[in-house]
Amino acid sequence: MTIENVKPPRPVQQPRVVDVSRPGGTGLAVEIDASEAAELLLSIATLLVDEEHDSYELGAPRIEELRADAPPELLREADELLPFKAAAQLLGLVYTTPKPRTAAAFLDHFRATDPVEIRLHLLGYYTRGHHVTEPETIRQAAEGDAGAISELVAALSEYVDPDKRARLERVLHADPAVSKGELLDLLSGWSEHVLPAIVPADYASLAERDVEAKRELVRSVPPEQVVERLAQGIHWVPGPDIDRVVLFPAYSPRPWVYMSEYKRVKIFCPPITLDREPAAPGDPAELVRIYKALGDASRLKLLRRLQDGPISLTEAAQEIGLAKSTTHHHLALLRQAGFVLIREGDDTYRLRPDMQPEPGALLAQYLGT
């Protein structure tokens, strides 16, 4: 696929970046950056989502409308080249993009990046602690070793369905330079034709103002508290292998939070929140979100199990007898509603200590009783 006569992306103002040392002098730094490049990738993941569309703030009708309006060849190429949210694996390349991290700057950086390096990002080579097989196997698969490719695909079998597994295998057997060219065409076309329809017209200003509004929080609390405050329901304790936390607030996937790593950098993409009106007492939207999270037998079963203590995703999937991907979705809805925390790093889930919100009290408040 080739997109001809690609227009330059909309200009984006210079983002504000905050770098601060962690209180206490441990040297862990935090950077928060408005990034159109991250938004480009996460908008692809959002429109390709397999989960219930109405769990996104965009809403199912809007996502379906955006898919219907997008050029069919772009959706087809995105689904083939970046399956199961693989676009988010390129967030490490966003981090290494020179500032300002606009879509145009990212595309230039992508052109200059070695094809095998791009494939390493896509395969999650730099996301330590989340490898499905040995890192060296992933590297060899990225370089085209047939045995390593077979081993990697087999390791992914429990995470993806046979169709996605077959697509991944086809991509891995393709020439890395050819795949890079196809990806570049896809990303360029998406930047021109799809991204402007997803984000608001004032996205550049909104993203920068959102970063500015979060500046004092970043300055005043330790990095792990920054993550928990900005990324609802995520409890993160930095390990010794991480030197820097980078946050790219995002609009498209709200309220979902994407996470990635690149070498010694941990990347979070929490929601942009500046455009939200403060929730009024008894807000029906809040009630809908909470009762939707509780309105499923599998999610209630997970809450009951979590009363006995933390569980891993594998244990949770076994508990309710569903695939890991489906179980992850259930747990994410409980996290977004304020019932569950995930401890990022060991990927264990636990009940929030305060078990907020209280559905009965909120309903009574809404009904005025």
Side-chain angles (χ1 to χ4, degrees), residues 294-312:
L294 298 175
D296 181 274
S298 294
R299 292 197 280 276
L300 290 175
K301 189 175 181 180
L302 285 168
L303 283 175
R304 185 171 62 184
R305 166 58 183 83
L306 284 164
Q307 284 187 310
D308 297 330
I311 56 174
S312 68

Side-chain angles (χ1 to χ4, degrees), residues 317-369:
Q318 293 171 348
E319 182 73 24
I320 60 175
L322 295 173
K324 281 187 176 181
S325 58
T326 304
T327 306
H328 175 266
H329 177 65
H330 284 312
L331 288 165
L333 288 177
L334 290 170
R335 176 181 60 78
Q336 292 164 11
F339 295 110
V340 170
L341 282 171
I342 178 174
R343 182 182 172 97
E344 209 288 320
D346 61 11
D347 291 335
T348 56
Y349 294 83
R350 63 198 70 219
L351 291 178
R352 293 185 67 98
D354 51 4
M355 271 297 288
Q356 294 293 328
E358 298 179 10
L362 287 173
L363 180 59
Q365 185 180 48
Y366 177 68
L367 295 175
T369 59

